[in-house]
Every structure is written in C-alpha cells, then in structure tokens.
Amino acid sequence: MSTHARTVICLLRNDLRLHDNEVLHWAQSNAEHVLPLYCFDPRHYLGTSVYNLPKTGPFRLRFLLDSVRDLRSSLINKGSMLVVRQGKPEDVVAELIKNLPSVSAVVFHEEVASEERAVERAVKDVCAHMKVKVHTCWGSTLYHRDDLPFPHLARLPDVYTQFRKAVETQSRVRPLILSPDQVRPLPPGLEEGAVPTMEVLGQTEPEADPRSAFPCSGGESQALARLKHYFWDTDAIATYKDTRNGLIGVDYSTKFAPWLAMGCISPRYIYHQVHQYESERTANQSTYWVIFELLWRDYFKFVGVKYGNRLFHIKGLQDKSVPWKKDMALYNAWKEGRTGVPFVDANMRELAMTGFMSNRGRQNVASFLTKDLGLDWRMGAEWFEYLLVDHDVCSNYGNWLYSAGLGNDPRENRKFNMVKQALDYDGNSDAGPSARGKKGPSHTPKQYGNRGIDFYFSKSKHL
C-alpha cells in the first residue's frame, strides 16, 4: 500500500444528500480520506440540443445552488466538506488525482441519459490513464436496476401497467443506507472552492412570486422537512389521490419532484416513510398512490436505459413519422401564455413566473402544443427543460413522448379537450362555470377564495 492514506473522490451529481447515498457509504468503507466533489459542468449552462434554449433556467439553478450549499453545511456538521469546482468533471478529477497522490478510487452513481453517460466514460478514461480505480453505484430509482424481474432491460415492458405489476409482485425495495454519523475528513491542504453565483453561471435571480405552488428551497434538509410536513404534521398524504390534480397551493400534491430530481431525497426513503405512515396512521389508496407515482418515475428511467437516445428523437420510441410544424409565432404564443385559451395560458404563465406547473397543467399544455397546434414536441420538452425546477431528463422527455403519441402509450391519439379540462379542474376560475352550477375543486386553498388558476395567472399583464 502507498505511504499516503488512501483518498476516495465521491463525484456527486444528482445525488445531493447524505441519507441513502451508496457513493458516500462505499467511500467511507474504502478510504481514510473522503473527498465529496460537486462540479458545475459548463456544458449544463449551454443551449438545448435542437432549439438552443438555455439548458438550465433560473428556477432550477437557484434550487441547485441551495442544494449544494445545504449539502456543504451538512458535510461540515459531519466533520467533512463539499469541494466545489467549476469545470468538466473529467478535467477536475484529473487535476485532483494529479495533485493528490493518495487518490485510490473515484466513485459515482450511474446516470441514464447520453450526456451524463458521456461524462462517466470520460471520467473512466481519465482514471484508467492515471491508474485509479473507478467504482459505480446505482441509486436514483426506487427499485434497484439489478432487482428488476426482467432478464435485462431490453425486455422491459413497453406498457407501464405491465412493469408496475411485475415489480410489485416479484421485486423488493432495498433497505435504506443510513446517513453516516461522521464523514471521513478531506485530505489535508485541499482548497474547498466557492459556490458560484447565478450570474457567474449566466442567470439572474428570479423574482419570488407569491402565487407559486412551489415556494420551496433546495437541499436535503428542506426535502426531509417537506416530507415530515406532508406526512406527519398535516396527514396530507392520506388525501393525496383526491387532491393531486389540484392547481393552486402548496399541499395539493407532495411536491417531492424537484428534490428527487437532484437527489436531495431518496425514493427509497419516501417509500419506507410511506410504509411507516401506513403502519402508524392509515393505509389507503392515497398512501399507495405516492408509491404508484414513484414507480412512474422509475419506469421512465428504465425506459431511458432501454431506448437510449430515441428518447430525444423526433420520431420517438415508436419510430413514427409525424408532420410536425415548427411555426415560431405559434410556439412563442404558447410559451408566453398568449394562445387565447385561458386554461393553457394560465398554466404557461405560471411556469414562466415560478418554474413550476401542476401535473394536470402539464398534461394539458403538452396536449395543446402537440395535438392542437401540431408543433414539434421537442419544442415543448426543451421549454420545460429550461424552466422546470423539477426537470428530470427521463421523466420530462418520457412524458412529452407520451403526450405526442410517440412513447409508452397504448392509447392512440390521446387528446385533451381544453374546455372540458378547465371546467373539470379549474371550475373556480374567474371565467368559471358557476352559471352551470358546477363547483370547483374542494381542495382549493382558502387564501385564494374561490378563484382558480385562470384568474391568478391569465390576468398577469406581462411575463
């Protein structure tokens, strides 16, 4: 063994947490010094691949910076530190190995999409050249990839229900890896690095909008507090299935997605907390439905593994040719909430002003872009990638393919009727159907009176 105490570099990406983090756990067991590292990769702040929108918009960037600072604070409390660098991970790792003769291994969680996997290959190449071991883990899904009831992911069912029934009956969720009491110290003499500002990364701090359905901050501590609030403090989970199609307010849905996307909370942690809640409080369709939605997230990840870059191709998973339009005037009207359809416009303005949109809203505006306007579905997917605080590449592109009729959808030509959807889900809007004697959703929070999303976001004078 080298005379230097062994150091393991933990390359953290979408796993910004201490609990249930196999990367940190493995490093703790295999080195005297642990070097948790986060790189602000300049490629994340370039344009999207087809329409050159900024890849990381202001809402997600603010949430990411919160999450990085929160993880640094947690690591300090455990006797460690998050090392931060601006640069390509493969270059940063090479520089660290060069300057630290004690580095014995680099460990990271594997990702799914091609850009993330290209980074992994580049890091492996650097490490092979410098004779440093690489260890990889799988940790972004509820069910571990190795525990799926399919011989390999090429055999993954193309229908969600078949996938769900198979894993629910034939697989088990692994136990949690607990947060370490202490994290092994950094190697001596290492510069910790500053967390960059939004401006340095090409964005400006977005204005807080009091109407936001997601007025939350990034970070593991915030994620765990949100779960405690939604499960244990308010029992909101017990009515989740009834309220999840809401449009206004913080508690109509779990709002876990942004923290899940950055790995501030583990899907396994949520799962085990659901089961604890069911044993101590109540088990019903709503508690099950939280797990049902986590399974959708898993499914899109595994679809991403199975189909690779077809997730981003204009013909989608079904290799289907559709004469999509690329009309920029129509696209800009959709983006800016100027289509003239109040329900669509309200949701699009909410996204532009807050970085968030309800699940029901997303389904409707996606249907409108692809089925009513006939625009290239990637125009919508890239706008969401830019603005959504909870953007997750597999879920976003998988859902857009689903809406466009090119993905995992056994029902052909699915299309939402915007008028009917607005009446069903936004019945308390300013132009709501009170004359028809129809009530809006009973879960609309009191502070909004009986006004719906149409009222709150369609009436905005500017973006």
Side-chain angles (χ1 to χ4, degrees):
M1 183 179 149
S2 155
T3 53
H4 300 282
R6 289 172 306 161
T7 297
V8 169
I9 297 172
C10 300
L11 177 59
L12 300 172
R13 295 184 294 166
N14 296 318
D15 47 2
L16 300 178
R17 64 178 184 270
L18 294 183
H19 74 275
D20 201 33
N21 191 323
E22 191 179 344
V23 161
L24 289 172
H25 181 75
W26 187 87
Q28 288 278 98
S29 307
N30 286 278
E32 289 75 44
H33 296 295
V34 170
L35 198 169
L37 171 68
Y38 185 84
C39 299
F40 285 88
D41 187 335
R43 292 166 292 203
H44 292 174
Y45 306 96
L46 302 174
T48 51
S49 56
V50 183
Y51 291 98
N52 201 36
L53 298 165
K55 224 173 212 173
T56 306
F59 301 103
R60 188 160 78 261
L61 181 53
R62 179 177 62 188
F63 195 84
L64 171 62
L65 293 172
D66 288 343
S67 302
V68 167
R69 285 190 289 261
D70 184 75
L71 182 57
R72 175 171 271 187
S73 172
S74 298
L75 282 164
I76 290 169
N77 289 338
K78 302 280 187 180
S80 178
M81 167 59 77
L82 180 65
V83 174
V84 172
R85 296 286 186 268
Q86 280 181 257
K88 296 176 181 177
E90 59 268 32
D91 297 342
V92 172
V93 166
E95 186 72 13
L96 287 168
I97 292 171
K98 194 172 89 177
N99 293 329
L100 293 169
S102 61
V103 174
S104 58
V106 175
V107 58
F108 54 80
H109 277 121
E110 290 179 50
E111 289 283 344
V112 171
S114 54
E115 290 175 7
E116 290 77 6
R117 293 182 66 193
V119 170
E120 293 168 19
R121 285 194 300 274
V123 169
K124 285 178 177 176
D125 288 347
V126 159
C127 290
H129 180 69
M130 302 179 91
K131 298 183 170 50
V132 166
K133 178 182 173 181
V134 171
H135 181 78
T136 64
C137 312
W138 182 267
S140 67
T141 52
L142 176 59
Y143 286 91
H144 196 285
R145 179 181 57 190
D146 296 345
D147 300 340
L148 295 176
F150 317 110
H152 43 76
L153 279 168
R155 302 288 295 277
L156 182 82
D158 282 328
V159 176
Y160 168 72
T161 303
Q162 293 171 9
F163 162 79
R164 177 181 61 79
K165 287 180 176 174
V167 294
E168 284 180 341
T169 54
Q170 299 171 56
S171 299
R172 291 286 174 270
V173 174
R174 293 186 178 188
L176 281 176
I177 298 167
L178 298 178
S179 297
D181 293 328
Q182 287 288 110
V183 176
R184 295 189 187 279
L186 293 182
L190 193 63
E191 183 66 42
E192 63 192 49
V195 178
T197 63
M198 292 193 65
E199 288 70 24
V200 163
L201 297 169
Q203 291 289 345
T204 51
E205 183 77 29
E207 257 181 69
D209 193 306
R211 300 166 294 184
S212 176
F214 189 79
C216 308
S217 307
E220 177 180 24
S221 55
Q222 294 292 315
L224 298 178
R226 172 63 186 173
L227 184 143
K228 179 177 178 293
H229 166 83
Y230 196 82
F231 285 22
W232 303 102
D233 297 347
T234 65
D235 291 304
I237 183 178
T239 54
Y240 169 71
K241 191 164 188 280
D242 303 321
T243 63
R244 67 196 170 90
N245 281 315
L247 300 165
I248 294 172
V250 183
D251 285 349
Y252 65 77
S253 63
T254 68
K255 303 294 194 299
F256 293 151
W259 290 294
L260 279 165
M262 286 185 189
C264 301
I265 194 167
S266 154
R268 286 195 292 242
Y269 179 79
I270 298 171
Y271 174 89
H272 290 297
Q273 286 282 301
V274 169
H275 280 288
Q276 188 179 336
Y277 182 90
E278 288 179 330
S279 66
E280 293 180 20
R281 299 261 175 105
T282 187
N284 60 21
Q285 272 289 299
S286 287
T287 54
Y288 165 71
W289 216 257
V290 172
I291 295 168
F292 179 90
E293 298 290 4
L294 287 174
L295 275 174
W296 259 115
R297 182 178 171 275
D298 269 21
Y299 184 56
F300 281 132
K301 291 262 184 207
F302 296 130
V303 165
V305 175
K306 176 178 178 176
Y307 283 102
N309 274 348
R310 281 171 65 181
L311 208 59
F312 311 108
H313 288 177
I314 192 165
K315 292 183 175 184
L317 309 185
Q318 298 181 13
D319 202 28
K320 188 193 294 182
S321 290
V322 176
W324 299 111
K325 291 187 289 197
K326 296 183 179 167
D327 182 321
M328 295 312 289
L330 279 180
Y331 181 47
N332 289 332
W334 177 82
K335 280 195 320 188
E336 295 163 15
R338 295 185 290 98
T339 67
V341 179
F343 191 50
V344 172
D345 292 347
N347 278 293
M348 292 306 296
R349 286 169 181 260
E350 179 187 17
L351 175 62
M353 293 171 184
T354 70
F356 194 81
M357 188 193 297
S358 67
N359 175 56
R360 180 57 46 181
R362 294 179 200 201
Q363 292 181 56
N364 276 276
V365 302
S367 173
F368 190 79
L369 179 106
T370 56
K371 302 296 170 63
D372 291 276
L373 300 180
L375 292 173
D376 179 355
W377 66 271
R378 297 172 303 173
M379 294 169 118
E382 291 190 0
W383 186 245
F384 273 28
E385 180 172 355
Y386 163 49
L387 275 179
L388 277 177
V389 69
D390 61 320
H391 177 261
D392 170 288
V393 62
C394 295
S395 292
N396 183 44
Y397 282 84
N399 271 305
W400 272 97
L401 285 167
Y402 192 92
S403 286
L406 304 172
N408 305 90
D409 189 358
R411 285 171 286 184
E412 289 288 318
N413 299 320
R414 163 199 300 272
K415 181 177 186 289
F416 285 96
N417 178 324
M418 294 302 124
V419 175
K420 183 178 187 305
Q421 289 282 307
L423 295 180
D424 286 353
Y425 294 101
D426 199 29
N428 284 334
S429 70
D430 190 41
S434 54
R436 299 177 180 80
K438 188 176 177 77
K439 290 182 180 175
S442 59
H443 52 272
T444 302
K446 288 187 177 68
Q447 69 265 33
Y448 290 100
N450 65 350
R451 299 298 179 86
I453 199 165
D454 284 3
F455 177 80
Y456 279 92
F457 285 98
S458 278
K459 305 307 172 195
S460 304
K461 291 189 174 64
H462 55 82
L463 289 175

